[in-house]
Amino acid sequence: MKQIRAFVSILAVLALLAAPALAATSKTYQVTGPVIEVTDTMIVVQKGKDRWEIARDGSTKATGDLKVGSKVTIEYRMTATSVDVKGGAAGEKTKKKK
């Protein structure tokens, strides 16, 4: 009985530790279309009249033969690389002239 309680306690602790990590991941998006260009650092997909350039690296998983002309569905995330804040402080109200 003590072993079961210890096991359940360990599972509860692991679930609590994993929850913030899962909540911190950003939303995923998808784009589907034919591949028009492939390099080691990006995949370019044609979606309608738009050209979508999606970055890739060594951790990008690809199944099948990824080549120009293949129809693919790419799952990706949007991540900010820099933020340039301009203007007044947040929450600052503008005064109306009367």
Side-chain angles (χ1 to χ4, degrees):
M1 189 64 141
K2 289 182 181 182
Q3 290 175 340
I4 294 173
R5 282 187 183 167
F7 181 72
V8 170
S9 297
I10 290 171
L11 285 178
V13 169
L14 290 175
L16 288 173
L17 292 174
L22 292 174
T25 59
S26 59
K27 184 177 176 180
T28 59
Y29 302 90
Q30 289 184 345
V31 60
T32 300
V35 174
I36 58 174
E37 185 180 341
V38 178
T39 69
D40 290 339
T41 58
M42 75 172 175
I43 304 169
V44 182
V45 175
Q46 188 74 37
K47 182 175 180 180
K49 294 182 180 182
D50 297 328
R51 173 187 164 103
W52 288 60
E53 292 185 14
I54 309 292
R56 69 187 277 214
D57 60 20
S59 66
T60 303
K61 297 174 187 163
T63 59
D65 188 15
L66 180 59
K67 61 183 179 181
V68 173
S70 300
K71 183 174 180 183
V72 296
T73 297
I74 299 175
E75 185 174 305
Y76 63 95
R77 299 180 195 276
M78 288 191 220
T79 304
T81 56
S82 68
V83 178
D84 186 16
V85 179
K86 299 180 184 201
E92 187 177 296
K93 295 182 181 178
T94 58
K95 296 180 182 179
K96 293 183 180 179
K97 294 182 181 179
K98 293 184 180 182

